[in-house]
Amino acid sequence: MNKALKANERELIKLARFFSKRAEQLAVDGELSEDQRQLTQACENLERQLLQHAANREAIMDKRARLEKLIEDNAQCPKCRKADMLKQQAVTTNEHGWKLNTYRCRRCNTSFTWNRPNNPWHMVQFLELYIKELEESLNVDMEPSLRQHTEAALPQLQDSLSRLRPVLQDSDEEVEALTEKEREMDKIIHQFKNYLLIEKIKLDTYQEE
């Protein structure tokens, strides 16, 4: 069965297919009633709905997972200034609430926390703060070469920020809508499963008589 389905979705589909197969046999025997036909149709419609929902959920979460890996640290050891012997150790949170990767340099045998967030959501906040600090620095005296470098860097940073924000906003809205849809589907699954279980009990009781 589809691996994208959750446990309660798989369970309901199995139950729905039980009634669908039973209806097929009743149809062959010429004993399929209108109520049974309608129940079978409802089961088939619900299965299609569940499969479509699972596919949508998988697509949204796959996109989310790719976004979470969007940021590449390009970390360097603060001692040797090299990156080839770094090993990521853990994730920590700084005073801003941003998640940062910690590394160990196997060449220098030193551990450190990289100074940039490891995910795009916190990177937006980092860029906002960094741009603000650069803009404020232009209000004070500085070396002409440093001023030129800062003035050249600002548009690039602002462009990165303007391109990143809408992508993250779209993803956040998709996940929020998915969460609401999940609540709706869980309620439908619970209600329909209970209904089918009652119908199955009726059927088992009828067959035993």
Side-chain angles (χ1 to χ4, degrees):
M1 192 174 287
N2 193 327
K3 293 182 180 179
L5 292 166
K6 297 193 301 185
N8 62 338
E9 294 167 344
R10 286 195 296 270
E11 188 176 358
L12 180 55
I13 286 177
K14 287 180 181 178
L15 192 56
R17 287 178 179 176
F18 165 81
F19 282 94
S20 295
K21 289 180 180 178
R22 178 173 175 272
E24 289 176 4
Q25 185 58 50
L26 289 173
V28 170
D29 297 338
E31 299 177 358
L32 183 65
S33 69
E34 179 60 22
D35 287 345
Q36 291 165 334
R37 188 193 67 78
Q38 291 180 1
L39 175 60
T40 302
Q41 186 64 51
C43 288
E44 292 173 351
N45 290 341
L46 181 61
E47 179 173 347
R48 283 194 294 270
Q49 188 178 357
L50 288 174
L51 291 172
Q52 183 60 55
H53 175 64
N56 291 341
R57 178 177 60 225
E58 185 175 40
I60 290 171
M61 298 316 295
D62 282 351
K63 179 181 176 181
R64 188 78 168 185
R66 289 195 300 272
L67 276 177
E68 289 173 352
K69 298 177 182 178
L70 182 65
I71 302 300
E72 294 184 7
D73 267 347
N74 296 320
Q76 293 181 353
C77 173
K79 283 190 175 181
C80 66
R81 303 295 179 184
K82 302 288 185 180
D84 59 322
M85 297 291 285
L86 295 184
K87 181 179 181 181
Q88 184 180 339
Q89 290 185 307
V91 175
T92 188
T93 303
N94 69 0
E95 67 276 12
H96 298 291
W98 304 337
K99 291 184 178 180
L100 315 166
N101 290 330
T102 62
Y103 294 89
R104 185 175 71 86
C105 178
R106 287 170 288 185
R107 177 183 287 107
C108 304
N109 195 28
T110 184
S111 296
F112 66 95
T113 298
W114 190 234
N115 60 3
R116 285 175 174 77
N118 65 3
N119 66 86
W121 289 271
H122 291 159
M123 181 58 76
V124 164
Q125 299 173 26
F126 169 84
L127 287 173
E128 289 171 342
L129 181 60
Y130 188 42
I131 288 171
K132 181 181 178 182
E133 291 175 348
L134 288 179
E135 289 174 338
E136 290 175 350
S137 72
L138 293 175
N139 296 326
V140 299
D141 291 335
M142 65 172 65
E143 292 289 332
S145 60
L146 180 57
R147 177 176 292 275
Q148 183 179 6
H149 176 76
T150 301
E151 290 175 343
L154 274 171
Q156 298 176 18
L157 293 170
Q158 290 165 341
D159 179 64
S160 296
L161 187 58
S162 66
R163 285 187 285 111
L164 188 55
R165 274 183 181 142
V167 173
L168 299 183
Q169 183 178 350
D170 287 347
S171 177
D172 289 342
E173 290 174 355
E174 283 182 340
V175 171
E176 184 178 352
L178 174 63
T179 301
E180 179 61 30
K181 185 66 175 178
E182 288 277 81
R183 284 194 288 264
E184 294 175 7
M185 292 301 296
D186 284 344
K187 185 177 180 180
I188 292 172
I189 289 169
H190 177 72
Q191 293 174 342
F192 203 79
K193 177 186 173 183
N194 286 343
Y195 172 71
L196 290 183
L197 286 173
I198 291 172
E199 290 299 311
K200 192 171 186 300
I201 291 171
K202 289 179 181 178
L203 176 63
D204 292 342
T205 302
Y206 172 77
Q207 290 176 337
E208 290 174 0
E209 292 178 352

